[in-house]
Protein backbone atom coordinates (compact mmCIF):
# COMPACT_ATOMS: atom_id res chain seq x y z
CA UNK A 1 0.00 0.00 0.00
CA UNK A 2 1.01 3.61 -0.53
CA UNK A 3 0.60 5.73 2.61
CA UNK A 4 2.00 8.94 1.10
CA UNK A 5 1.54 10.89 -2.09
CA UNK A 6 3.40 9.43 -5.04
CA UNK A 7 4.25 9.89 -8.71
CA UNK A 8 4.09 7.17 -11.37
CA UNK A 9 5.30 6.97 -14.96
CA UNK A 10 6.26 4.32 -17.53
CA UNK A 11 9.53 4.11 -19.45
CA UNK A 12 9.96 2.81 -23.02
CA UNK A 13 10.78 -0.69 -21.75
CA UNK A 14 7.47 -0.87 -19.87
CA UNK A 15 8.96 -0.46 -16.40
CA UNK A 16 6.77 1.33 -13.88
CA UNK A 17 8.79 4.10 -12.19
CA UNK A 18 7.51 5.60 -8.97
CA UNK A 19 8.46 8.01 -6.20
CA UNK A 20 6.78 7.86 -2.81
CA UNK A 21 6.93 10.94 -0.59
CA UNK A 22 8.89 10.02 2.52
CA UNK A 23 10.56 7.05 0.82
CA UNK A 24 13.40 9.16 -0.59
CA UNK A 25 13.85 6.88 -3.59
CA UNK A 26 12.80 6.53 -7.21
CA UNK A 27 12.16 2.86 -7.85
CA UNK A 28 11.20 0.82 -10.89
CA UNK A 29 9.14 -2.31 -11.24
CA UNK A 30 10.09 -4.55 -14.15
CA UNK A 31 6.96 -6.58 -14.83
CA UNK A 32 8.67 -8.89 -17.34
CA UNK A 33 11.40 -9.94 -14.89
CA UNK A 34 9.21 -9.67 -11.78
CA UNK A 35 11.80 -7.42 -10.14
CA UNK A 36 12.06 -4.14 -8.26
CA UNK A 37 15.13 -1.90 -8.44
CA UNK A 38 16.24 1.56 -7.32
CA UNK A 39 16.86 4.25 -9.95
CA UNK A 40 17.79 7.09 -7.59
CA UNK A 41 17.99 7.73 -3.87
CA UNK A 42 19.27 5.70 -0.96
CA UNK A 43 16.33 6.11 1.40
CA UNK A 44 17.86 9.15 3.12
CA UNK A 45 17.04 12.83 2.72
CA UNK A 46 20.71 13.77 3.15
CA UNK A 47 22.30 14.86 -0.13
CA UNK A 48 25.64 13.20 -1.00
CA UNK A 49 28.67 14.98 -2.48
CA UNK A 50 28.64 15.98 -6.14
CA UNK A 51 29.69 13.10 -8.38
CA UNK A 52 27.87 10.43 -6.35
CA UNK A 53 25.87 7.84 -8.25
CA UNK A 54 22.13 8.52 -8.40
CA UNK A 55 21.24 5.47 -6.31
CA UNK A 56 23.84 6.38 -3.64
CA UNK A 57 22.58 9.86 -2.78
CA UNK A 58 19.65 11.10 -0.77
CA UNK A 59 16.53 12.65 -2.22
CA UNK A 60 14.92 15.25 0.00
CA UNK A 61 11.71 15.85 -1.92
CA UNK A 62 10.18 14.82 -5.21
CA UNK A 63 7.49 16.59 -7.15
CA UNK A 64 7.06 14.36 -10.19
CA UNK A 65 8.78 12.07 -12.66
CA UNK A 66 9.52 12.87 -16.29
CA UNK A 67 11.57 11.95 -19.35
CA UNK A 68 13.12 14.35 -21.86
CA UNK A 69 12.62 13.99 -25.66
CA UNK A 70 15.48 11.46 -25.94
CA UNK A 71 14.19 9.33 -23.04
CA UNK A 72 16.61 10.48 -20.33
CA UNK A 73 14.99 10.17 -16.94
Amino acid sequence: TFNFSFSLTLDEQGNILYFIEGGNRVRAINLNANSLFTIAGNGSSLISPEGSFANQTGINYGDGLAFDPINNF
Side-chain angles (χ1 to χ4, degrees):
T1 62
F2 295 109
N3 296 322
F4 299 95
S5 62
F6 61 93
S7 296
L8 285 171
T9 191
L10 293 171
D11 67 11
E12 285 186 343
Q13 290 77 39
N15 295 312
I16 301 169
L17 281 70
Y18 68 94
F19 176 85
I20 302 173
E21 182 183 335
N24 304 93
R25 288 188 177 113
V26 176
R27 306 206 71 192
I29 302 169
N30 181 317
L31 299 175
N32 294 324
N34 243 359
S35 64
L36 174 70
F37 55 98
T38 300
I39 301 290
N42 62 9
S44 168
S45 62
L46 300 174
I47 305 301
S48 298
E50 185 145 347
S52 298
F53 291 106
N55 64 355
Q56 296 175 346
T57 190
I59 296 176
N60 191 30
Y61 181 77
D63 197 25
L65 302 172
F67 292 92
D68 69 12
I70 58 171
N71 207 38
N72 292 311
F73 174 69

